[in-house]
Structures are given as structure tokens and as C-alpha cells.
Amino acid sequence: ITGRVVSPTNEPLPGAAVSLAGNTSSVLTDAQGNFVLRSGSDSATLLVRRIGYEPVRLALAAPIADTVRTRVV
């Protein structure tokens, strides 16, 4: 799964933690908000967290959108 995490104003969110539900490992988004996760399934629940923003939980199924938006707390 590849994607990009952006703010409600479409600004990239670097340093957001992105993981799959049920998985203890996570990745951080890069300076442009991009991330890459490996999933052995066509569907998954994506968890996105960043300080100052509400956590986001997204149920994904193929085809998966490449942009994840989160709201400011």
C-alpha cells in the first residue's frame, strides 16, 4: 500500500504514523507525506496518527485511493 497523508488544506503531513490494524509495526510519512506499507491482502484497515490531528481509521479495499486526509483537532 502506498499513499500520501495530507491536512484538510492539502498540505503534506510529514511524521504521521501509519499502520495496519492488528499489526504492531508502523511507518512514518516522509517530508511530502508519502508512505509505503506491505499488506498481504486486498483489504485492510489503515490507522493514521499525528500529534495535533485526530486519528483516522480507514477500511480499504482494492483499488485503494492514494490520498488519506485527516482533520485538525
Side-chain angles (χ1 to χ4, degrees), residues 33-50:
N34 298 312
F35 66 90
V36 177
L37 282 172
R38 294 197 186 273
S39 174
S41 172
D42 286 342
S43 63
T45 299
L46 191 67
L47 305 173
V48 181
R49 293 179 297 277
R50 186 168 189 273

Side-chain angles (χ1 to χ4, degrees), residues 8-68:
T9 59
N10 273 340
E11 296 297 319
L13 287 178
V18 182
S19 62
L20 296 172
N23 191 335
T24 57
S25 63
S26 64
V27 298
L28 296 178
T29 56
D30 65 15
Q32 291 77 40
N34 298 312
F35 66 90
V36 177
L37 282 172
R38 294 197 186 273
S39 174
S41 172
D42 286 342
S43 63
T45 299
L46 191 67
L47 305 173
V48 181
R49 293 179 297 277
R50 186 168 189 273
I51 294 173
Y53 292 83
E54 291 181 23
V56 174
R57 184 181 199 87
L58 295 170
L60 304 176
I64 296 172
D66 65 351
T67 301
V68 176

